[in-house]
């Protein structure tokens, strides 16, 4: 038995290609976000100056004015010993097994901006803006001393 192949009439107009545009843009955006997250997990840094606290390396970076930091209330915390400060709900951020960044709710209900890789010696800095910051600097003692020296003691 012989077979014959019959071609279909091509779809009219160029609308078929437009369906792929949002899919491709979403895929490219997802790859970009994943790349920035992985970069931030290994290369994030914190810059403290008389202008404020600046976060580098992740998409949740930005600046908090020095006047908004409550340096007098800042302290080094062990999140396993202070369960109220443990991040429990991600609202807009990244949560990988050993890296959390972005906006989270803490167990006590407080809103917090996280750049956290180590839970046993995290730097907790409240702000006057209704949220706190939880960071994992390489030298939390030195950064705490600098925050307390530069920031207002509110």
């Amino acid at each position: 038995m012989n077979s014959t192949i019959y071609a279909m009439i091509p779809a009219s107009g160029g609308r078929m290609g437009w369906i792929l545009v949002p899919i491709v843009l979403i895929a490219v955006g997802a790859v970009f976000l994943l790349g920035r997250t992985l970069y931030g997990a290994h290369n994030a840094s914190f810059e403290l100056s008389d202008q404020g606290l600046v976060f580098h390396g992740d998409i949740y970076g930005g600046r908090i004015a020095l006047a908004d930091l409550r340096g007098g209330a800042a302290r080094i915390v062990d999140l396993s010993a202070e369960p109220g400060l443990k991040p429990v709900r991600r609202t807009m951020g990244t949560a990988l097994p050993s890296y959390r960044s972005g906006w989270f709710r803490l167990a006590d209900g407080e809103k917090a901006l996280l750049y956290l890789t180590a839970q046993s010696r995290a730097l907790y800095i409240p702000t006057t803006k209704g949220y706190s910051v939880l960071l994992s600097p390489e030298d939390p003692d030195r950064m705490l001393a600098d925050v307390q020296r530069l920031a207002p003691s509110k």
Side-chain angles (χ1 to χ4, degrees):
M1 172 169 186
N2 291 339
S3 66
T4 306
I5 298 174
Y6 300 92
M8 183 172 80
I9 298 172
S12 63
R15 289 185 232 153
M16 292 293 288
W18 286 106
I19 293 172
L20 293 176
V21 170
I23 295 169
V24 169
L25 290 176
I26 290 169
V28 167
V31 168
F32 172 77
L33 289 176
L34 181 60
R36 285 296 287 185
T37 297
L38 294 175
Y39 176 83
H42 295 284
N43 300 299
S45 63
F46 318 111
E47 178 184 350
L48 185 63
S49 71
D50 57 356
Q51 300 297 307
L53 177 59
V54 180
F55 308 96
H56 300 284
D58 201 333
I59 61 172
Y60 303 102
R63 176 187 307 267
I64 300 173
L66 197 61
D68 293 334
L69 298 176
R70 296 178 50 215
R75 64 187 197 276
I76 295 172
V77 297
D78 179 350
L79 297 180
S80 61
E82 294 193 47
L85 296 179
K86 197 171 249 187
V88 293
R89 188 169 50 107
R90 175 181 51 178
T91 56
M92 175 63 101
T94 301
L96 299 174
S98 62
Y99 176 67
R100 285 181 276 182
S101 68
W103 293 100
F104 287 74
R105 284 282 175 187
L106 305 181
D108 65 5
E110 183 178 15
K111 184 178 177 181
L113 177 61
L114 273 60
Y115 278 86
L116 200 58
T117 55
Q119 296 193 32
S120 62
R121 289 191 40 82
L123 182 56
Y124 172 79
I125 309 169
T127 72
T128 61
K129 297 293 186 180
Y131 65 91
S132 291
V133 179
L134 272 171
L135 309 173
S136 293
E138 282 185 337
D139 189 348
D141 295 306
R142 190 176 102 205
M143 188 169 179
L144 174 61
D146 288 344
V147 167
Q148 290 174 336
R149 179 175 48 83
L150 291 172
S153 299
K154 295 178 187 176

